Amino acid sequence: MDNLLQRILLNLQQTKKADYGVLETSLTNFIDSFFPRSSVKLGTNFIKKVTTSTDNITFILLGHLYIERLLNEILLKEFDIHDIKKGNKSLNTFYKKVVFLKKTKTIDEELINDILLINSLRNAFAHELNYKLSNFNIWKLSALKNVERNDFEPNSKAAKDIFTRLIIKVYFFKILRDLTEKFRFLSLLNEG
């Protein structure tokens, strides 16, 4: 996955900041080249829906829902928890599921933190009518902590929105891939 992020960051560095939109249009094929074939059953529609969406609320919500679906499957298979949707109050929110998986050390700390950041982004869109994606601090995401910002900071709000959308889309894919690699049974799930 680091190879994917490095290649995207290299492409961003070589792309004029005004041309981030052009780079975003080729994102689906670029990400698909990194996608493990064993996960194609679950991931094909995910990649298509999330990476081709230009509406911020739509792709954030879709990505968040896919992550929650994976978390539910992990809870089911690893802990035999069947009543997640039927009112198990200790696990009735996305946040509670993530905290449970963190406490049980089922998912590593870095990935948990990235999932919680994505959850905070979803919450921002859910609770603030005019939330701007460009307000989200992508530099808190684990793979970007050591990246020199000056090489990538867009010079306009519109470019920053596109840049942030591109990074978040890649991160949805990163989370899907990381979870699928750790929990191989996830690759056998149908999209449904």
Side-chain angles (χ1 to χ4, degrees), residues 8 13 25 29-30 42 108 148 150 154 158 168 174 181 192:
I8 286 177
Q13 207 170 19
T25 60
N29 292 335
F30 190 59
L42 173 65
D108 70 70
E148 180 57 46
N150 293 336
I168 298 302
K174 177 188 182 308
E181 286 179 355

Side-chain angles (χ1 to χ4, degrees), residues 2 8 13 91 102 124 137 149 154 158 169 176 181 186 190:
D2 290 336
I8 286 177
Q13 207 170 19
L91 297 172
K102 180 179 180 177
N137 185 358
R149 290 183 190 191
K169 286 178 178 184
L176 171 70
E181 286 179 355
L186 293 175
N190 289 317

Side-chain angles (χ1 to χ4, degrees), residues 50-62:
V50 172
T51 59
T52 58
S53 176
T54 56
D55 177 65
N56 292 339
I57 293 172
T58 301
F59 95 82
I60 296 296
L61 185 57
L62 283 172

Side-chain angles (χ1 to χ4, degrees), residues 9 12-15 17 20 139 147-154 163:
L9 289 173
L12 284 171
Q13 207 170 19
Q14 295 171 351
T15 302
K17 292 178 181 178
Y20 286 153
W139 304 106
V147 172
E148 180 57 46
R149 290 183 190 191
N150 293 336
D151 293 340
F152 303 101
E153 280 293 330
F163 176 75

Side-chain angles (χ1 to χ4, degrees), residues 1-112:
M1 179 48 62
D2 290 336
N3 190 18
L4 170 64
L5 289 170
Q6 288 169 356
R7 284 185 52 191
I8 286 177
L9 289 173
L10 181 62
N11 280 338
L12 284 171
Q13 207 170 19
Q14 295 171 351
T15 302
K16 293 178 184 171
K17 292 178 181 178
D19 292 335
Y20 286 153
V22 173
L23 185 60
E24 185 180 23
T25 60
S26 63
L27 180 64
T28 303
N29 292 335
F30 190 59
I31 286 179
D32 190 50
S33 70
F34 282 83
F35 201 78
R37 294 298 130 209
S38 63
S39 301
V40 77
K41 196 173 194 180
L42 173 65
T44 303
N45 284 335
F46 171 79
I47 290 172
K48 186 177 180 182
K49 288 177 184 176
V50 172
T51 59
T52 58
S53 176
T54 56
D55 177 65
N56 292 339
I57 293 172
T58 301
F59 95 82
I60 296 296
L61 185 57
L62 283 172
H64 191 272
L65 287 169
Y66 270 95
I67 292 169
E68 186 163 21
R69 165 104 192 280
L70 297 178
L71 297 179
N72 288 342
E73 291 296 329
I74 293 166
L75 290 167
L76 176 65
K77 298 280 194 232
E78 298 291 310
F79 299 97
D80 200 29
I81 299 173
H82 291 272
D83 61 345
I84 296 167
K85 295 178 184 172
K86 295 179 183 168
N88 182 332
K89 293 192 180 187
S90 64
L91 297 172
N92 65 351
T93 68
F94 184 94
Y95 180 78
K96 288 178 182 179
K97 293 170 191 176
V98 176
V99 169
F100 176 84
L101 292 168
K102 180 179 180 177
K103 285 181 182 177
T104 58
K105 298 186 185 324
T106 307
I107 299 174
D108 70 70
E109 186 89 19
E110 191 172 271
L111 184 53
I112 288 287

